[in-house]
Amino acid sequence: MLLRGKDMELVGIDIGTTSVCGVVISAETGELLKKETVNSNAFIEGEAFEKIQSPEKIMQIATAILEKFISEKTCAIGVTGQMHGIVYVDKEGKAVSPLYTWQDARGNLPYKGTTYAKFLGAPTGYGNVTDFYNKENGLRPDSAVTYCTIHDYFVMQICGNKAPKIHPTDAASFGLYNLTENTWNYPVGAEIATGYAVAGKYQNIPVGVAIGDNQASVYATVKSEKDVLLNVGTGSQVSVITEKTEGGADIEIRPFTDGKYLAVGAALCGGRAYSILKDFFRKTLSYRGEISEEETYAIMAEMLKKGAAPLTVDTRFAGTRSNPHLTGSVSGITVDNFTPESLTAGVISGMVQELFALYQAMGEEKTGMVASGNGIRKNAFMQKEAENRFGMQVKFPLYKEEAAVGAALFSGVCAGVFASGEEARSVIQYE
């Protein structure tokens, strides 16, 4: 049943690591009507291992964008943002700490013959590992009653709530989460809000519970559950919607929506592999004068147009989750193919191959492929490599603000604008 009107609009806010993005989309067609991205510049100086940010600064920017975008046509507000990180809140729902982001490395510090992260059994940067370190070192604020993601906190602030309602997509990102029981194996002390829930209202507009940015991006890009999603930016990952609750060594199963899950394979080096090659070329060229990043990337783009056969490059430069000590390699070198063109093509091919291997490890058979992220949007050679490797034609969403759009669509279901998640995703449009 169609519950949305012709002029109704949805607002989505995505609180990222370096910026805050807002969008307005048509609830009827999914058309992107407005968008704005503001650099947050919210990082705070701390210890070498710390990656912390100012919640107050982030709130100011996100609220300003929201105020600019809501109108009498707004029927729901959706919020998403950087997963894994936490901010402590007191009994009144106010932040009493900085935001400890997903990049925070305190979990890697030594603890009882190992590290805090390994002792607890979750990756560093995950909220429960961060809290465990803080608790063990007397850094947990005395007035804190619990903690939540930065986007949960934003929802609390605009709705006037004193306690967070954490969606499973974010709850799992803290680590030590029981997927089938929807509980933590760690004392967080916060409510997990399942399904499509309204967290409250802002200026009488329903606000959906916040969701994780990975799931929000999938929500805005994967129209059919038969599609596989490739995301290549600074990082890279492959995601599929699944009913499985167990993955392989390098496959993480995350909560999604509508009783489904996400199988996610993340390349630890990912899109950074191409940037590393850029740095190699730039340093080489700098021996004859300064050259900018943009100029170096332009030269690499010209190399890719030559159509050189790629070298065999293993781009797992940062290892894998199951084997962090694994290193990359270049092989198949002959007297004829050791050229910058073949090396550049080989790095792209290697990045795609790593994602394809992760997809194969999922044991899922998909028939379509959606791609997002500037790393693949702006690289025609990578697109062709992906199509050849996966045997599917790649398609791109009409918008690049996938997470914000996904949050907006999700909130539409929470508020009853859409009758179901399937109906919400039916408005997704591709180039």
Side-chain angles (χ1 to χ4, degrees):
M1 180 174 67
L2 191 68
L3 302 179
R4 57 193 190 277
K6 183 177 180 181
D7 295 326
M8 298 171 77
E9 296 176 351
L10 302 166
V11 173
I13 301 292
D14 173 24
I15 301 174
T17 308
T18 58
S19 63
V20 179
C21 173
V23 299
V24 178
I25 64 172
S26 164
E28 182 183 26
T29 66
E31 179 186 357
L32 182 61
L33 303 174
K34 298 178 185 177
K35 62 180 180 180
E36 182 174 354
T37 299
V38 178
N39 289 334
S40 53
N41 297 315
F43 276 102
I44 303 169
E45 279 195 34
E47 300 290 341
F49 58 80
E50 286 188 312
K51 289 292 184 180
I52 55 178
Q53 293 182 328
S54 165
E56 293 77 18
K57 192 166 188 178
I58 294 170
M59 292 304 102
Q60 290 171 3
I61 294 169
T63 303
I65 294 174
L66 178 61
E67 283 286 341
K68 188 183 297 185
F69 280 179
I70 58 172
S71 70
E72 68 280 357
K73 297 180 180 180
T74 307
C75 54
I77 298 168
V79 182
T80 185
Q82 49 175 301
M83 299 159 64
H84 309 300
I86 58 170
V87 58
Y88 290 96
V89 296
D90 64 16
K91 64 181 181 179
E92 297 301 319
K94 299 300 182 183
V96 290
S97 76
L99 165 64
Y100 300 89
T101 75
W102 61 277
Q103 297 172 319
D104 193 90
R106 68 194 61 219
N108 287 335
L109 296 175
Y111 181 76
K112 293 186 177 181
T114 178
T115 66
Y116 287 87
K118 290 180 180 178
F119 181 88
L120 203 61
T124 191
Y126 279 40
N128 287 335
V129 173
T130 299
D131 177 68
F132 178 64
Y133 174 92
N134 289 345
K135 178 174 69 71
E136 291 294 292
N137 290 275
L139 297 175
R140 183 191 280 174
D142 293 337
S143 58
V145 295
T146 188
Y147 47 86
C148 60
T149 68
I150 189 64
H151 37 298
D152 288 319
Y153 182 62
F154 179 64
V155 169
M156 288 172 62
Q157 293 305 295
I158 63 175
C159 294
N161 297 339
K162 293 186 177 181
K165 297 178 181 179
I166 303 178
H167 192 264
T169 53
D170 279 317
S173 79
F174 289 171
L176 303 168
Y177 174 80
N178 187 314
L179 193 68
T180 55
E181 298 294 327
N182 192 33
T183 58
W184 289 290
N185 299 320
Y186 186 86
V188 176
E191 177 188 349
I192 297 179
T194 59
Y196 294 97
V198 172
K201 291 187 176 182
Y202 179 68
Q203 298 189 16
N204 211 34
I205 304 168
V207 181
V209 291
I211 60 173
D213 55 2
N214 171 225
Q215 290 88 341
S217 293
V218 174
Y219 208 88
T221 53
V222 180
K223 193 171 187 176
S224 168
E225 294 184 9
K226 295 180 180 179
D227 287 341
V228 56
L229 172 64
L230 302 186
N231 181 279
V232 183
T234 304
S236 67
Q237 57 190 18
V238 55
S239 306
V240 302
I241 299 173
T242 182
E243 296 184 356
K244 296 178 181 178
T245 56
E246 293 185 6
D250 292 309
I251 305 301
E252 183 180 357
I253 304 296
R254 300 175 178 174
F256 189 52
T257 60
D258 304 289
K260 302 293 177 65
Y261 303 92
L262 279 186
V264 181
L268 295 188
C269 191
R272 195 156 52 100
Y274 196 61
S275 178
I276 290 170
L277 181 64
K278 175 265 299 177
D279 290 339
F280 172 79
F281 284 140
R282 188 183 181 194
K283 185 172 183 179
T284 303
L285 293 167
S286 70
Y287 279 91
R288 286 295 179 267
E290 284 299 315
I291 183 169
S292 68
E293 286 193 357
E294 292 74 17
E295 289 175 300
T296 310
Y297 274 129
I299 291 170
M300 293 164 69
E302 288 298 317
M303 291 179 185
L304 291 173
K305 292 178 182 178
K306 299 295 183 182
L311 289 168
T312 302
V313 182
D314 184 338
T315 54
R316 293 176 293 182
F317 303 149
T320 65
R321 289 194 175 187
S322 60
N323 186 359
H325 303 294
L326 195 67
T327 59
S329 64
V330 181
S331 60
I333 298 173
T334 70
V335 295
D336 299 314
N337 68 4
F338 191 39
T339 66
E341 294 87 355
S342 289
L343 180 59
T344 304
V347 167
I348 296 292
S349 182
M351 291 165 60
V352 172
Q353 173 56 36
E354 184 175 3
L355 292 176
F356 182 66
L358 290 167
Y359 167 67
Q360 286 184 308
M362 295 174 179
E364 297 276 353
E365 290 292 334
K366 301 298 182 180
T367 57
M369 179 168 57
V370 183
S372 65
N374 285 335
I376 189 167
R377 274 185 181 272
K378 295 181 177 181
N379 196 312
F381 185 86
M382 183 181 291
Q383 295 169 26
K384 186 59 66 178
E385 281 289 302
E387 290 181 338
N388 291 339
R389 189 77 67 188
F390 283 80
M392 310 169 193
Q393 186 173 357
V394 66
K395 53 191 175 186
F396 293 94
L398 276 176
Y399 37 76
K400 298 178 182 179
E401 300 76 14
E402 296 95 349
V405 171
L409 292 174
F410 178 84
S411 73
V413 186
C414 295
V417 179
F418 299 104
S420 65
E422 182 180 6
E423 184 181 291
R425 296 202 302 275
S426 71
V427 303
I428 295 173
Q429 299 179 32
Y430 299 109
E431 292 178 357

